mmCIF file of all heavy atoms in Angstrom:
data_model
loop_
_atom_site.group_PDB
_atom_site.id
_atom_site.type_symbol
_atom_site.label_atom_id
_atom_site.label_comp_id
_atom_site.label_asym_id
_atom_site.label_seq_id
_atom_site.Cartn_x
_atom_site.Cartn_y
_atom_site.Cartn_z
ATOM 1 N N MET A 8 -101.145 48.999 126.092
ATOM 2 C CA MET A 8 -102.397 48.970 126.821
ATOM 3 C C MET A 8 -103.539 49.273 125.858
ATOM 4 O O MET A 8 -103.412 50.110 124.983
ATOM 5 C CB MET A 8 -102.385 50.016 127.948
ATOM 6 C CG MET A 8 -103.727 50.130 128.640
ATOM 7 S SD MET A 8 -103.967 51.636 129.596
ATOM 8 C CE MET A 8 -102.973 51.315 131.006
ATOM 9 N N ASP A 9 -104.651 48.566 126.048
ATOM 10 C CA ASP A 9 -105.837 48.880 125.259
ATOM 11 C C ASP A 9 -106.288 50.295 125.577
ATOM 12 O O ASP A 9 -106.055 50.801 126.666
ATOM 13 C CB ASP A 9 -106.982 47.914 125.598
ATOM 14 C CG ASP A 9 -106.704 46.497 125.134
ATOM 15 O OD1 ASP A 9 -105.925 46.331 124.185
ATOM 16 O OD2 ASP A 9 -107.260 45.568 125.738
ATOM 17 N N GLU A 10 -106.935 50.910 124.613
ATOM 18 C CA GLU A 10 -107.465 52.258 124.824
ATOM 19 C C GLU A 10 -108.562 52.202 125.885
ATOM 20 O O GLU A 10 -109.450 51.354 125.831
ATOM 21 C CB GLU A 10 -108.019 52.812 123.512
ATOM 22 C CG GLU A 10 -108.287 54.277 123.538
ATOM 23 C CD GLU A 10 -107.027 55.111 123.744
ATOM 24 O OE1 GLU A 10 -105.954 54.691 123.295
ATOM 25 O OE2 GLU A 10 -107.134 56.189 124.360
ATOM 26 N N LEU A 11 -108.499 53.078 126.869
ATOM 27 C CA LEU A 11 -109.520 53.130 127.909
ATOM 28 C C LEU A 11 -110.711 53.923 127.395
ATOM 29 O O LEU A 11 -110.548 54.936 126.726
ATOM 30 C CB LEU A 11 -108.943 53.771 129.173
ATOM 31 C CG LEU A 11 -107.794 53.011 129.829
ATOM 32 C CD1 LEU A 11 -107.242 53.813 131.007
ATOM 33 C CD2 LEU A 11 -108.230 51.642 130.285
ATOM 34 N N LYS A 12 -111.917 53.450 127.750
ATOM 35 C CA LYS A 12 -113.133 54.111 127.269
ATOM 36 C C LYS A 12 -114.191 54.113 128.369
ATOM 37 O O LYS A 12 -114.071 53.386 129.357
ATOM 38 C CB LYS A 12 -113.644 53.440 126.008
ATOM 39 C CG LYS A 12 -114.009 51.995 126.167
ATOM 40 C CD LYS A 12 -114.363 51.376 124.828
ATOM 41 C CE LYS A 12 -114.758 49.936 124.931
ATOM 42 N NZ LYS A 12 -113.853 49.043 125.612
ATOM 43 N N ILE A 13 -115.209 54.926 128.185
ATOM 44 C CA ILE A 13 -116.317 55.029 129.130
ATOM 45 C C ILE A 13 -116.907 53.639 129.351
ATOM 46 O O ILE A 13 -117.132 52.889 128.408
ATOM 47 C CB ILE A 13 -117.373 56.018 128.613
ATOM 48 C CG1 ILE A 13 -116.784 57.426 128.599
ATOM 49 C CG2 ILE A 13 -118.642 55.969 129.468
ATOM 50 C CD1 ILE A 13 -117.663 58.463 127.935
ATOM 51 N N GLY A 14 -117.136 53.322 130.621
ATOM 52 C CA GLY A 14 -117.714 52.032 130.991
ATOM 53 C C GLY A 14 -116.688 50.989 131.386
ATOM 54 O O GLY A 14 -117.040 49.984 132.006
ATOM 55 N N ASP A 15 -115.415 51.196 131.043
ATOM 56 C CA ASP A 15 -114.370 50.252 131.439
ATOM 57 C C ASP A 15 -114.192 50.269 132.954
ATOM 58 O O ASP A 15 -114.336 51.321 133.598
ATOM 59 C CB ASP A 15 -113.025 50.597 130.795
ATOM 60 C CG ASP A 15 -112.950 50.221 129.329
ATOM 61 O OD1 ASP A 15 -113.821 49.471 128.843
ATOM 62 O OD2 ASP A 15 -112.001 50.679 128.663
ATOM 63 N N VAL A 16 -113.861 49.115 133.507
ATOM 64 C CA VAL A 16 -113.551 49.002 134.931
ATOM 65 C C VAL A 16 -112.038 49.004 135.059
ATOM 66 O O VAL A 16 -111.350 48.219 134.401
ATOM 67 C CB VAL A 16 -114.172 47.731 135.538
ATOM 68 C CG1 VAL A 16 -113.787 47.589 137.000
ATOM 69 C CG2 VAL A 16 -115.689 47.761 135.381
ATOM 70 N N VAL A 17 -111.525 49.900 135.896
ATOM 71 C CA VAL A 17 -110.083 50.088 136.053
ATOM 72 C C VAL A 17 -109.741 50.173 137.543
ATOM 73 O O VAL A 17 -110.620 50.279 138.389
ATOM 74 C CB VAL A 17 -109.604 51.377 135.350
ATOM 75 C CG1 VAL A 17 -109.828 51.301 133.857
ATOM 76 C CG2 VAL A 17 -110.302 52.610 135.916
ATOM 77 N N MET A 18 -108.447 50.122 137.807
ATOM 78 C CA MET A 18 -107.963 50.416 139.150
ATOM 79 C C MET A 18 -106.605 51.082 139.032
ATOM 80 O O MET A 18 -105.957 51.007 137.979
ATOM 81 C CB MET A 18 -107.904 49.169 140.030
ATOM 82 C CG MET A 18 -106.867 48.155 139.665
ATOM 83 S SD MET A 18 -106.915 46.651 140.669
ATOM 84 C CE MET A 18 -106.875 47.269 142.314
ATOM 85 N N LEU A 19 -106.184 51.745 140.080
ATOM 86 C CA LEU A 19 -104.866 52.356 140.092
ATOM 87 C C LEU A 19 -103.808 51.267 140.031
ATOM 88 O O LEU A 19 -103.968 50.201 140.638
ATOM 89 C CB LEU A 19 -104.667 53.185 141.357
ATOM 90 C CG LEU A 19 -105.421 54.500 141.430
ATOM 91 C CD1 LEU A 19 -105.338 55.067 142.837
ATOM 92 C CD2 LEU A 19 -104.870 55.480 140.417
ATOM 93 N N LYS A 20 -102.730 51.518 139.319
ATOM 94 C CA LYS A 20 -101.633 50.558 139.260
ATOM 95 C C LYS A 20 -101.066 50.295 140.650
ATOM 96 O O LYS A 20 -100.544 49.220 140.920
ATOM 97 C CB LYS A 20 -100.535 51.059 138.324
ATOM 98 C CG LYS A 20 -100.952 51.032 136.873
ATOM 99 C CD LYS A 20 -99.857 51.566 135.981
ATOM 100 C CE LYS A 20 -100.286 51.512 134.525
ATOM 101 N NZ LYS A 20 -99.273 52.120 133.645
ATOM 102 N N SER A 21 -101.193 51.256 141.544
ATOM 103 C CA SER A 21 -100.691 51.108 142.909
ATOM 104 C C SER A 21 -101.691 50.398 143.827
ATOM 105 O O SER A 21 -101.413 50.187 144.995
ATOM 106 C CB SER A 21 -100.346 52.481 143.484
ATOM 107 O OG SER A 21 -101.495 53.302 143.510
ATOM 108 N N GLY A 22 -102.860 50.035 143.301
ATOM 109 C CA GLY A 22 -103.879 49.335 144.079
ATOM 110 C C GLY A 22 -105.064 50.225 144.401
ATOM 111 O O GLY A 22 -105.098 51.395 144.048
ATOM 112 N N GLY A 23 -106.041 49.645 145.073
ATOM 113 C CA GLY A 23 -107.236 50.394 145.443
ATOM 114 C C GLY A 23 -108.486 49.731 144.901
ATOM 115 O O GLY A 23 -108.440 48.616 144.378
ATOM 116 N N PRO A 24 -109.614 50.436 144.999
ATOM 117 C CA PRO A 24 -110.889 49.847 144.584
ATOM 118 C C PRO A 24 -111.032 49.812 143.059
ATOM 119 O O PRO A 24 -110.364 50.562 142.343
ATOM 120 C CB PRO A 24 -111.924 50.808 145.183
ATOM 121 C CG PRO A 24 -111.214 52.126 145.204
ATOM 122 C CD PRO A 24 -109.774 51.790 145.527
ATOM 123 N N SER A 25 -111.915 48.941 142.595
ATOM 124 C CA SER A 25 -112.294 48.952 141.184
ATOM 125 C C SER A 25 -113.146 50.189 140.936
ATOM 126 O O SER A 25 -113.991 50.545 141.758
ATOM 127 C CB SER A 25 -113.099 47.708 140.829
ATOM 128 O OG SER A 25 -112.294 46.559 140.959
ATOM 129 N N MET A 26 -112.893 50.858 139.805
ATOM 130 C CA MET A 26 -113.596 52.100 139.475
ATOM 131 C C MET A 26 -114.130 51.998 138.046
ATOM 132 O O MET A 26 -113.565 51.285 137.227
ATOM 133 C CB MET A 26 -112.635 53.287 139.578
ATOM 134 C CG MET A 26 -111.936 53.407 140.905
ATOM 135 S SD MET A 26 -110.742 54.768 140.974
ATOM 136 C CE MET A 26 -109.409 54.126 139.970
ATOM 137 N N THR A 27 -115.186 52.736 137.761
ATOM 138 C CA THR A 27 -115.768 52.773 136.424
ATOM 139 C C THR A 27 -115.461 54.121 135.781
ATOM 140 O O THR A 27 -115.679 55.173 136.395
ATOM 141 C CB THR A 27 -117.293 52.575 136.486
ATOM 142 O OG1 THR A 27 -117.560 51.328 137.130
ATOM 143 C CG2 THR A 27 -117.906 52.556 135.089
ATOM 144 N N ILE A 28 -114.983 54.078 134.545
ATOM 145 C CA ILE A 28 -114.699 55.311 133.808
ATOM 146 C C ILE A 28 -116.014 55.921 133.334
ATOM 147 O O ILE A 28 -116.843 55.238 132.744
ATOM 148 C CB ILE A 28 -113.786 55.028 132.603
ATOM 149 C CG1 ILE A 28 -112.421 54.538 133.077
ATOM 150 C CG2 ILE A 28 -113.651 56.270 131.715
ATOM 151 C CD1 ILE A 28 -111.502 54.089 131.944
ATOM 152 N N TYR A 29 -116.200 57.225 133.593
ATOM 153 C CA TYR A 29 -117.398 57.904 133.097
ATOM 154 C C TYR A 29 -117.086 59.080 132.174
ATOM 155 O O TYR A 29 -117.998 59.650 131.559
ATOM 156 C CB TYR A 29 -118.319 58.346 134.244
ATOM 157 C CG TYR A 29 -117.808 59.492 135.077
ATOM 158 C CD1 TYR A 29 -118.134 60.805 134.747
ATOM 159 C CD2 TYR A 29 -117.028 59.271 136.196
ATOM 160 C CE1 TYR A 29 -117.686 61.863 135.516
ATOM 161 C CE2 TYR A 29 -116.575 60.318 136.971
ATOM 162 C CZ TYR A 29 -116.902 61.609 136.627
ATOM 163 O OH TYR A 29 -116.451 62.658 137.392
ATOM 164 N N LYS A 30 -115.790 59.438 132.034
ATOM 165 C CA LYS A 30 -115.432 60.538 131.142
ATOM 166 C C LYS A 30 -113.967 60.376 130.740
ATOM 167 O O LYS A 30 -113.130 60.050 131.574
ATOM 168 C CB LYS A 30 -115.621 61.873 131.854
ATOM 169 C CG LYS A 30 -115.371 63.092 130.999
ATOM 170 C CD LYS A 30 -115.656 64.354 131.801
ATOM 171 C CE LYS A 30 -115.414 65.606 131.001
ATOM 172 N NZ LYS A 30 -115.621 66.816 131.803
ATOM 173 N N VAL A 31 -113.692 60.593 129.449
ATOM 174 C CA VAL A 31 -112.327 60.530 128.939
ATOM 175 C C VAL A 31 -112.068 61.782 128.115
ATOM 176 O O VAL A 31 -112.803 62.068 127.161
ATOM 177 C CB VAL A 31 -112.113 59.281 128.046
ATOM 178 C CG1 VAL A 31 -110.706 59.256 127.488
ATOM 179 C CG2 VAL A 31 -112.418 58.001 128.806
ATOM 180 N N VAL A 32 -111.041 62.545 128.494
ATOM 181 C CA VAL A 32 -110.619 63.727 127.744
ATOM 182 C C VAL A 32 -109.108 63.626 127.572
ATOM 183 O O VAL A 32 -108.359 63.838 128.519
ATOM 184 C CB VAL A 32 -110.999 65.045 128.463
ATOM 185 C CG1 VAL A 32 -110.516 66.242 127.663
ATOM 186 C CG2 VAL A 32 -112.488 65.118 128.710
ATOM 187 N N ARG A 33 -108.706 63.243 126.380
ATOM 188 C CA ARG A 33 -107.292 62.987 126.067
ATOM 189 C C ARG A 33 -106.714 61.979 127.052
ATOM 190 O O ARG A 33 -107.150 60.854 127.080
ATOM 191 C CB ARG A 33 -106.502 64.282 126.006
ATOM 192 C CG ARG A 33 -106.967 65.191 124.881
ATOM 193 C CD ARG A 33 -106.089 66.430 124.781
ATOM 194 N NE ARG A 33 -106.730 67.428 123.951
ATOM 195 C CZ ARG A 33 -107.426 68.450 124.418
ATOM 196 N NH1 ARG A 33 -107.532 68.659 125.710
ATOM 197 N NH2 ARG A 33 -107.981 69.301 123.595
ATOM 198 N N ASN A 34 -105.749 62.383 127.862
ATOM 199 C CA ASN A 34 -105.123 61.470 128.827
ATOM 200 C C ASN A 34 -105.708 61.592 130.233
ATOM 201 O O ASN A 34 -105.206 60.982 131.169
ATOM 202 C CB ASN A 34 -103.611 61.723 128.891
ATOM 203 C CG ASN A 34 -102.916 61.259 127.638
ATOM 204 O OD1 ASN A 34 -103.350 60.312 126.989
ATOM 205 N ND2 ASN A 34 -101.840 61.922 127.277
ATOM 206 N N HIS A 35 -106.771 62.386 130.377
ATOM 207 C CA HIS A 35 -107.411 62.583 131.671
ATOM 208 C C HIS A 35 -108.646 61.692 131.753
ATOM 209 O O HIS A 35 -109.542 61.773 130.910
ATOM 210 C CB HIS A 35 -107.803 64.047 131.875
ATOM 211 C CG HIS A 35 -106.637 64.981 131.757
ATOM 212 N ND1 HIS A 35 -105.708 65.135 132.760
ATOM 213 C CD2 HIS A 35 -106.238 65.773 130.750
ATOM 214 C CE1 HIS A 35 -104.790 65.994 132.372
ATOM 215 N NE2 HIS A 35 -105.082 66.399 131.151
ATOM 216 N N ILE A 36 -108.672 60.841 132.773
ATOM 217 C CA ILE A 36 -109.743 59.867 132.935
ATOM 218 C C ILE A 36 -110.504 60.175 134.221
ATOM 219 O O ILE A 36 -109.894 60.271 135.294
ATOM 220 C CB ILE A 36 -109.166 58.432 133.033
ATOM 221 C CG1 ILE A 36 -108.184 58.144 131.892
ATOM 222 C CG2 ILE A 36 -110.282 57.409 133.116
ATOM 223 C CD1 ILE A 36 -108.782 58.017 130.534
ATOM 224 N N SER A 37 -111.813 60.325 134.123
ATOM 225 C CA SER A 37 -112.657 60.548 135.295
ATOM 226 C C SER A 37 -113.318 59.228 135.677
ATOM 227 O O SER A 37 -113.885 58.546 134.820
ATOM 228 C CB SER A 37 -113.731 61.586 134.996
ATOM 229 O OG SER A 37 -113.144 62.827 134.667
ATOM 230 N N CYS A 38 -113.232 58.879 136.968
ATOM 231 C CA CYS A 38 -113.755 57.604 137.444
ATOM 232 C C CYS A 38 -114.708 57.818 138.613
ATOM 233 O O CYS A 38 -114.630 58.825 139.319
ATOM 234 C CB CYS A 38 -112.611 56.713 137.925
ATOM 235 S SG CYS A 38 -111.431 56.277 136.651
ATOM 236 N N LYS A 39 -115.580 56.826 138.813
ATOM 237 C CA LYS A 39 -116.446 56.810 139.987
ATOM 238 C C LYS A 39 -116.441 55.402 140.563
ATOM 239 O O LYS A 39 -116.198 54.423 139.859
ATOM 240 C CB LYS A 39 -117.859 57.275 139.657
ATOM 241 C CG LYS A 39 -118.559 56.502 138.563
ATOM 242 C CD LYS A 39 -119.893 57.146 138.253
ATOM 243 C CE LYS A 39 -120.521 56.522 137.026
ATOM 244 N NZ LYS A 39 -121.794 57.149 136.702
ATOM 245 N N TRP A 40 -116.675 55.320 141.874
ATOM 246 C CA TRP A 40 -116.688 54.047 142.575
ATOM 247 C C TRP A 40 -117.405 54.234 143.898
ATOM 248 O O TRP A 40 -117.661 55.345 144.327
ATOM 249 C CB TRP A 40 -115.264 53.538 142.805
ATOM 250 C CG TRP A 40 -114.471 54.345 143.771
ATOM 251 C CD1 TRP A 40 -114.290 54.089 145.110
ATOM 252 C CD2 TRP A 40 -113.775 55.574 143.520
ATOM 253 N NE1 TRP A 40 -113.526 55.074 145.685
ATOM 254 C CE2 TRP A 40 -113.187 55.998 144.717
ATOM 255 C CE3 TRP A 40 -113.567 56.359 142.384
ATOM 256 C CZ2 TRP A 40 -112.430 57.159 144.824
ATOM 257 C CZ3 TRP A 40 -112.818 57.511 142.501
ATOM 258 C CH2 TRP A 40 -112.256 57.891 143.700
ATOM 259 N N PHE A 41 -117.773 53.120 144.508
ATOM 260 C CA PHE A 41 -118.420 53.173 145.814
ATOM 261 C C PHE A 41 -117.390 52.921 146.896
ATOM 262 O O PHE A 41 -116.628 51.953 146.841
ATOM 263 C CB PHE A 41 -119.538 52.130 145.919
ATOM 264 C CG PHE A 41 -120.801 52.564 145.236
ATOM 265 C CD1 PHE A 41 -121.081 52.143 143.958
ATOM 266 C CD2 PHE A 41 -121.685 53.409 145.872
ATOM 267 C CE1 PHE A 41 -122.235 52.552 143.313
ATOM 268 C CE2 PHE A 41 -122.844 53.831 145.242
ATOM 269 C CZ PHE A 41 -123.124 53.397 143.959
ATOM 270 N N ALA A 42 -117.340 53.802 147.884
ATOM 271 C CA ALA A 42 -116.548 53.630 149.089
ATOM 272 C C ALA A 42 -117.563 53.471 150.220
ATOM 273 O O ALA A 42 -118.248 54.432 150.569
ATOM 274 C CB ALA A 42 -115.647 54.828 149.328
ATOM 275 N N GLU A 43 -117.671 52.230 150.735
ATOM 276 C CA GLU A 43 -118.758 51.884 151.651
ATOM 277 C C GLU A 43 -120.046 52.024 150.839
ATOM 278 O O GLU A 43 -120.170 51.408 149.805
ATOM 279 C CB GLU A 43 -118.740 52.776 152.890
ATOM 280 C CG GLU A 43 -117.451 52.747 153.664
ATOM 281 C CD GLU A 43 -117.355 51.605 154.637
ATOM 282 O OE1 GLU A 43 -118.391 51.239 155.239
ATOM 283 O OE2 GLU A 43 -116.245 51.074 154.808
ATOM 284 N N LYS A 44 -120.956 52.902 151.241
ATOM 285 C CA LYS A 44 -122.201 53.109 150.488
ATOM 286 C C LYS A 44 -122.231 54.467 149.818
ATOM 287 O O LYS A 44 -123.257 54.890 149.301
ATOM 288 C CB LYS A 44 -123.405 52.963 151.425
ATOM 289 C CG LYS A 44 -123.568 51.560 151.960
ATOM 290 C CD LYS A 44 -124.789 51.436 152.829
ATOM 291 C CE LYS A 44 -124.943 50.020 153.316
ATOM 292 N NZ LYS A 44 -126.155 49.844 154.113
ATOM 293 N N GLU A 45 -121.099 55.159 149.826
ATOM 294 C CA GLU A 45 -121.027 56.515 149.267
ATOM 295 C C GLU A 45 -120.327 56.500 147.911
ATOM 296 O O GLU A 45 -119.257 55.906 147.757
ATOM 297 C CB GLU A 45 -120.270 57.421 150.228
ATOM 298 C CG GLU A 45 -120.351 58.875 149.838
ATOM 299 C CD GLU A 45 -119.808 59.771 150.943
ATOM 300 O OE1 GLU A 45 -120.006 59.462 152.121
ATOM 301 O OE2 GLU A 45 -119.177 60.777 150.594
ATOM 302 N N LEU A 46 -120.926 57.159 146.933
ATOM 303 C CA LEU A 46 -120.348 57.257 145.601
ATOM 304 C C LEU A 46 -119.231 58.303 145.611
ATOM 305 O O LEU A 46 -119.430 59.426 146.061
ATOM 306 C CB LEU A 46 -121.428 57.650 144.586
ATOM 307 C CG LEU A 46 -121.046 57.622 143.126
ATOM 308 C CD1 LEU A 46 -120.557 56.245 142.683
ATOM 309 C CD2 LEU A 46 -122.222 58.058 142.255
ATOM 310 N N SER A 47 -118.050 57.908 145.141
ATOM 311 C CA SER A 47 -116.890 58.803 145.102
ATOM 312 C C SER A 47 -116.473 59.040 143.660
ATOM 313 O O SER A 47 -116.714 58.194 142.789
ATOM 314 C CB SER A 47 -115.725 58.174 145.867
ATOM 315 O OG SER A 47 -116.046 57.990 147.212
ATOM 316 N N TYR A 48 -115.824 60.170 143.410
ATOM 317 C CA TYR A 48 -115.363 60.559 142.082
ATOM 318 C C TYR A 48 -113.938 61.078 142.166
ATOM 319 O O TYR A 48 -113.570 61.696 143.159
ATOM 320 C CB TYR A 48 -116.221 61.709 141.523
ATOM 321 C CG TYR A 48 -117.674 61.402 141.346
ATOM 322 C CD1 TYR A 48 -118.576 61.593 142.385
ATOM 323 C CD2 TYR A 48 -118.148 60.947 140.124
ATOM 324 C CE1 TYR A 48 -119.922 61.331 142.219
ATOM 325 C CE2 TYR A 48 -119.506 60.688 139.948
ATOM 326 C CZ TYR A 48 -120.378 60.872 140.994
ATOM 327 O OH TYR A 48 -121.705 60.610 140.813
ATOM 328 N N ALA A 49 -113.159 60.856 141.100
ATOM 329 C CA ALA A 49 -111.820 61.443 141.022
ATOM 330 C C ALA A 49 -111.330 61.391 139.583
ATOM 331 O O ALA A 49 -111.840 60.616 138.768
ATOM 332 C CB ALA A 49 -110.841 60.712 141.931
ATOM 333 N N ASP A 50 -110.355 62.240 139.297
ATOM 334 C CA ASP A 50 -109.731 62.289 137.975
ATOM 335 C C ASP A 50 -108.307 61.742 138.076
ATOM 336 O O ASP A 50 -107.610 61.985 139.069
ATOM 337 C CB ASP A 50 -109.681 63.720 137.457
ATOM 338 C CG ASP A 50 -111.066 64.309 137.253
ATOM 339 O OD1 ASP A 50 -111.984 63.555 136.884
ATOM 340 O OD2 ASP A 50 -111.227 65.520 137.457
ATOM 341 N N PHE A 51 -107.888 61.029 137.029
ATOM 342 C CA PHE A 51 -106.574 60.412 136.995
ATOM 343 C C PHE A 51 -105.949 60.600 135.624
ATOM 344 O O PHE A 51 -106.653 60.845 134.645
ATOM 345 C CB PHE A 51 -106.669 58.905 137.285
ATOM 346 C CG PHE A 51 -107.320 58.588 138.593
ATOM 347 C CD1 PHE A 51 -108.668 58.292 138.662
ATOM 348 C CD2 PHE A 51 -106.582 58.585 139.765
ATOM 349 C CE1 PHE A 51 -109.279 57.997 139.867
ATOM 350 C CE2 PHE A 51 -107.182 58.306 140.980
ATOM 351 C CZ PHE A 51 -108.535 58.003 141.036
ATOM 352 N N GLU A 52 -104.643 60.465 135.561
ATOM 353 C CA GLU A 52 -103.933 60.401 134.284
ATOM 354 C C GLU A 52 -104.042 58.963 133.775
ATOM 355 O O GLU A 52 -104.032 58.025 134.570
ATOM 356 C CB GLU A 52 -102.470 60.788 134.456
ATOM 357 C CG GLU A 52 -102.258 62.241 134.836
ATOM 358 C CD GLU A 52 -102.719 63.200 133.745
ATOM 359 O OE1 GLU A 52 -102.460 62.946 132.565
ATOM 360 O OE2 GLU A 52 -103.347 64.209 134.101
ATOM 361 N N LYS A 53 -104.125 58.795 132.471
ATOM 362 C CA LYS A 53 -104.272 57.478 131.860
ATOM 363 C C LYS A 53 -103.196 56.507 132.342
ATOM 364 O O LYS A 53 -103.478 55.340 132.616
ATOM 365 C CB LYS A 53 -104.240 57.596 130.341
ATOM 366 C CG LYS A 53 -104.375 56.278 129.612
ATOM 367 C CD LYS A 53 -104.412 56.465 128.116
ATOM 368 C CE LYS A 53 -103.039 56.792 127.597
ATOM 369 N NZ LYS A 53 -102.930 56.785 126.151
ATOM 370 N N ASP A 54 -101.955 56.976 132.472
ATOM 371 C CA ASP A 54 -100.848 56.108 132.846
ATOM 372 C C ASP A 54 -100.912 55.609 134.289
ATOM 373 O O ASP A 54 -100.171 54.708 134.655
ATOM 374 C CB ASP A 54 -99.507 56.825 132.618
ATOM 375 C CG ASP A 54 -99.243 57.059 131.139
ATOM 376 O OD1 ASP A 54 -99.830 56.351 130.299
ATOM 377 O OD2 ASP A 54 -98.436 57.953 130.820
ATOM 378 N N GLU A 55 -101.798 56.161 135.107
ATOM 379 C CA GLU A 55 -101.957 55.715 136.485
ATOM 380 C C GLU A 55 -102.857 54.498 136.606
ATOM 381 O O GLU A 55 -102.898 53.846 137.653
ATOM 382 C CB GLU A 55 -102.572 56.817 137.354
ATOM 383 C CG GLU A 55 -101.728 58.049 137.511
ATOM 384 C CD GLU A 55 -102.436 59.088 138.332
ATOM 385 O OE1 GLU A 55 -103.252 59.859 137.787
ATOM 386 O OE2 GLU A 55 -102.190 59.096 139.561
ATOM 387 N N LEU A 56 -103.614 54.195 135.540
ATOM 388 C CA LEU A 56 -104.674 53.191 135.601
ATOM 389 C C LEU A 56 -104.355 51.937 134.797
ATOM 390 O O LEU A 56 -103.612 51.980 133.821
ATOM 391 C CB LEU A 56 -105.985 53.790 135.069
ATOM 392 C CG LEU A 56 -106.479 55.041 135.784
ATOM 393 C CD1 LEU A 56 -107.639 55.640 135.011
ATOM 394 C CD2 LEU A 56 -106.863 54.735 137.215
ATOM 395 N N GLU A 57 -104.988 50.837 135.228
ATOM 396 C CA GLU A 57 -104.931 49.605 134.455
ATOM 397 C C GLU A 57 -106.333 49.009 134.407
ATOM 398 O O GLU A 57 -107.107 49.154 135.365
ATOM 399 C CB GLU A 57 -103.926 48.614 135.030
ATOM 400 C CG GLU A 57 -104.202 48.162 136.435
ATOM 401 C CD GLU A 57 -103.082 47.323 136.998
ATOM 402 O OE1 GLU A 57 -102.053 47.154 136.338
ATOM 403 O OE2 GLU A 57 -103.243 46.837 138.138
ATOM 404 N N LYS A 58 -106.655 48.365 133.304
ATOM 405 C CA LYS A 58 -107.960 47.758 133.115
ATOM 406 C C LYS A 58 -108.070 46.514 133.992
ATOM 407 O O LYS A 58 -107.134 45.735 134.092
ATOM 408 C CB LYS A 58 -108.123 47.371 131.651
ATOM 409 C CG LYS A 58 -109.510 47.417 131.129
ATOM 410 C CD LYS A 58 -109.519 47.048 129.662
ATOM 411 C CE LYS A 58 -110.332 48.029 128.888
ATOM 412 N NZ LYS A 58 -110.514 47.627 127.496
ATOM 413 N N VAL A 59 -109.233 46.341 134.625
ATOM 414 C CA VAL A 59 -109.513 45.154 135.432
ATOM 415 C C VAL A 59 -110.142 44.129 134.500
ATOM 416 O O VAL A 59 -111.084 44.443 133.771
ATOM 417 C CB VAL A 59 -110.472 45.481 136.596
ATOM 418 C CG1 VAL A 59 -110.868 44.238 137.343
ATOM 419 C CG2 VAL A 59 -109.846 46.502 137.525
ATOM 420 N N VAL A 60 -109.603 42.926 134.527
ATOM 421 C CA VAL A 60 -110.094 41.876 133.611
ATOM 422 C C VAL A 60 -111.275 41.165 134.199
ATOM 423 O O VAL A 60 -111.533 41.029 135.287
ATOM 424 C CB VAL A 60 -108.980 40.865 133.304
ATOM 425 C CG1 VAL A 60 -109.483 39.750 132.420
ATOM 426 C CG2 VAL A 60 -107.820 41.568 132.685
#
């Protein structure tokens, strides 16, 4: 997998919305996305995510 970096668009390997990476600390990736009109945030492990092409 390509190295994930701030600004990349990703999604969970199990599915879900497209999210934008805003913070990377080792294998911990912080993402944000819109759910309806509300901005949501969550942290994930690198191995949970895949880059959206």
Side-chain angles (χ1 to χ4, degrees):
M8 174 198 285
D9 292 335
E10 194 63 32
L11 297 175
K12 61 186 181 307
I13 293 172
D15 284 347
V16 177
V17 297
M18 69 184 308
L19 287 169
K20 290 179 179 176
S21 60
S25 295
M26 305 177 287
T27 302
I28 295 174
Y29 71 91
K30 184 177 180 183
V31 178
V32 179
R33 296 184 194 98
N34 289 330
H35 303 283
I36 310 290
S37 298
C38 298
K39 56 185 172 181
W40 68 97
F41 281 97
E43 303 276 324
K44 294 182 179 183
E45 190 170 324
L46 188 58
S47 298
Y48 299 88
D50 297 326
F51 303 95
E52 293 296 318
K53 180 177 74 171
D54 293 338
E55 296 178 276
L56 303 171
E57 61 187 4
K58 211 178 227 187
V59 174
V60 177

